[in-house]
Amino acid sequence: MIEDRTTSVSAAVSAPAAAAPVTQIDYARAGIVTPQMAAVAAAEGREPEAIRAAVAAGRIAIPANIHHASLTPGGVGSTLDGVPLTTKVNVNLGISGDLADEATEWEKVAVALELGADAIMDLSNSGKTRAFRTKLIEQSPAMIGTVPMYDAIGYLEKSLIAITPEDFLEVVRAHAEDGVDFVTIHAGMNRRVIESFKETGRLTNIVSRGGSLIFAWMEATGRENPFYEYYDEVLAILHEHDVTISLGDAMRPGSGYDATDAAQIAELIELGKLTRRAWDAGVQVMVEGPGHMALDEIAANMKLQKRLCHDAPFYVLGPLVCDIAPGYDHITAAIGGAVAATAGADFLCYVTPAEHLRLPDAADVREGLVATKIAAHAADIAKGVPGARDRDNRMSDARRRVAWDEMFDLALDPARARAVFESAPPSTEGTCTMCGKMCAMKTVNDIMDGLTVSLS
């Protein structure tokens, strides 16, 4: 009986303690600046009190599980005066059933950390994944995120249809206890949203992996989405360990044709309601956003999300601005990501050249991460994030002085910049093979130093 199951699930989860602060939002509401808030303030060049006030209001999330000892805290969102923090970037990786090579995944982790990813999502979905996840949390200073739904079948060793709501909660608890900083929970795709999806139809249906699994479970069992039905119990688990909930967009559009349709907006309305419920439970929130969208729709979608979800931090995949570039989707996503972040998105999930084709390798991770970091940085400049131009100005000064080592050090990917330069040594010292002895920088520097310029 549903009533009996509700009782058993509720009894298995304890409610958050109202008196003692546990989460960053608890402490912020109590007027306390935590070490994590102080670290974010220092990294962003802001006053600690400004960070605290924004965390208290839900405008900034600092995903920081109490068990993640190696974490360097990062803030996602904007201060109450509307000044954004730097746009954060996430890398997806994880063990796949078809390519279950843990060594390759560690190569990806190394690239992500080398290039300064702010977060790593472990999307492992095959076999017993806990050993990889716990080691990643132990070693990574970046925020760690997961999608417990992906892990449910391997963790529980059950078929999808045999999994119960209690089982789903068990997996969420396991991830929280392991030290995961944020979890994607597809709680917004309830029966109302499914009805809208079925009535209006789509070209690409449901492309969210987690969303498709929950949809299959709902259709087979006739039940409500367990993460929606037992949302309060999910929140109690997350509060206990200070895990930020990233409200997943199960109905994100998988093609430009489906963007901003009834199903996407119906789910977004539900996500706004769930955002307030999470805040009321003392749980930090991020809201996930669309995947494919024409360029002219992006800014409006960012504003709509912020309005419906009460200015909670927004986390987007891309958006990919066209659908015909397999092998180059890191570029289509970077274009969309730059526009999205300029218009208000706070957190970009990278897309690699392998998107829609295969599991990415370490080289794909490098290409996808750098492209997304370019998008994030370009947006930070455009929206006036304090200090965003400083590194660009130092790069420009180094270029004026033709100081190659300084240029390499300032590059987003120093190894790549140095390798490209050294692959074709110039014949004229202090130049490159693009201009050689006709280098504009060298010519003007020589003139300014009172030297005679000779091109012979």
Side-chain angles (χ1 to χ4, degrees):
M1 295 290 291
I2 293 177
E3 292 78 11
D4 293 339
R5 181 163 290 164
T6 302
T7 301
S8 64
V9 171
S10 298
V13 183
S14 59
V22 175
T23 67
Q24 294 296 314
I25 198 169
D26 286 346
Y27 282 105
R29 288 170 175 170
I32 299 169
V33 174
T34 64
Q36 291 84 359
M37 295 176 207
V40 169
E44 300 281 347
R46 312 296 175 87
E47 291 298 322
E49 175 57 25
I51 301 299
R52 184 207 63 77
V55 171
R59 293 282 292 273
I60 289 176
I62 304 177
N65 189 306
I66 60 176
H67 308 299
H68 189 175
S70 63
L71 176 68
T72 298
V76 182
S78 301
T79 53
L80 295 183
D81 58 2
V83 179
L85 303 184
T86 53
T87 305
K88 303 305 184 293
V89 173
N90 172 72
V91 162
N92 289 340
L93 47 81
I95 298 167
S96 162
D98 285 340
L99 290 173
D101 184 352
E102 186 172 325
T104 297
E105 299 312 309
W106 283 113
E107 290 179 18
K108 299 178 191 178
V109 171
V111 170
L113 296 179
E114 172 200 341
L115 294 175
D118 301 291
I120 297 173
M121 288 199 77
D122 174 16
L123 305 187
S124 296
N125 60 16
S126 177
K128 295 298 184 182
T129 60
R130 189 172 192 181
F132 178 77
R133 180 171 62 252
T134 54
K135 187 177 178 182
L136 178 61
I137 293 165
E138 179 183 312
Q139 297 185 5
S140 174
M143 299 177 282
I144 301 300
T146 60
V147 186
M149 185 68 206
Y150 292 179
D151 194 31
I153 294 173
Y155 179 88
L156 298 165
E157 296 184 329
K158 290 184 176 182
S159 67
L160 176 64
I161 307 307
I163 298 175
T164 67
E166 294 93 337
D167 292 331
F168 286 124
L169 292 179
E170 179 185 342
V171 180
V172 173
R173 181 176 287 282
H175 284 225
E177 291 176 345
D178 285 344
V180 169
D181 301 299
F182 64 98
V183 289
T184 294
I185 301 291
H186 297 93
M189 188 184 65
N190 57 23
R191 282 287 172 193
R192 289 188 294 271
V193 173
I194 293 298
E195 289 173 9
S196 181
F197 160 63
K198 288 181 175 179
E199 288 173 6
T200 57
R202 274 186 158 185
L203 180 61
T204 47
N205 291 324
I206 298 173
V207 301
S208 160
R209 185 194 306 169
S212 68
L213 293 172
I214 295 169
F215 175 72
W217 187 91
M218 292 171 67
E219 292 295 289
T221 63
R223 296 283 304 275
E224 179 58 277
N225 178 345
F227 295 110
Y228 179 78
E229 185 174 1
Y230 298 108
Y231 188 61
D232 291 335
E233 287 79 6
V234 171
L235 294 177
I237 293 170
L238 302 185
H239 183 275
E240 182 181 352
H241 304 277
D242 195 4
V243 180
T244 297
I245 189 167
S246 189
L247 288 167
D249 52 339
M251 287 295 176
R252 69 174 180 265
S255 60
Y257 184 91
D258 292 334
T260 324
D261 70 350
Q264 179 195 332
I265 302 306
E267 183 185 39
L268 186 59
I269 292 169
E270 298 298 327
L271 295 181
K273 300 174 187 176
L274 296 174
T275 294
R276 284 204 180 278
R277 287 175 61 185
W279 285 339
D280 289 344
V283 174
Q284 299 184 97
V285 179
M286 299 187 293
V287 180
E288 298 186 15
H292 291 242
M293 185 164 288
L295 206 58
D296 63 329
E297 294 182 70
I298 295 174
N301 266 262
M302 301 305 107
K303 295 180 185 299
L304 182 63
Q305 185 277 338
K306 289 284 186 175
R307 176 64 181 268
L308 293 178
C309 295
H310 322 294
D311 287 316
F314 197 23
Y315 175 26
V316 300
L317 176 68
L320 282 73
V321 295
C322 67
D323 300 325
I324 59 168
Y328 299 92
D329 276 330
H330 60 309
I331 298 174
T332 66
I335 293 169
V339 175
T342 300
D346 307 289
F347 196 6
L348 301 181
C349 184
Y350 88 156
V351 172
T352 77
E355 185 79 8
H356 300 114
L357 300 172
R358 62 163 169 79
L359 190 73
D361 59 22
D364 295 320
V365 169
R366 181 175 292 274
E367 292 291 323
L369 178 52
V370 171
T372 308
K373 284 181 72 70
I374 292 170
H377 184 66
D380 287 348
I381 292 172
K383 58 189 178 183
V385 172
R389 283 188 183 271
D390 292 353
R391 186 170 171 183
D392 299 80
N393 291 342
R394 293 198 302 273
M395 174 67 85
S396 297
D397 181 64
R399 283 176 173 158
R400 176 184 59 81
R401 293 180 286 108
V402 201
W404 292 106
D405 286 339
E406 289 184 41
M407 286 187 252
F408 300 146
D409 289 342
L410 289 164
L412 283 174
D413 187 349
R416 174 70 177 273
R418 184 179 292 276
V420 171
F421 174 78
E422 292 179 349
S423 68
S427 58
T428 303
E429 185 178 355
T431 68
C432 74
T433 55
M434 173 65 77
C435 298
K437 61 186 178 182
M438 297 176 68
C439 173
M441 296 294 193
K442 185 177 185 303
T443 296
V444 175
N445 288 344
D446 286 349
I447 293 173
M448 298 291 284
D449 289 340
L451 302 176
T452 301
V453 175
S454 173
L455 300 180
S456 59

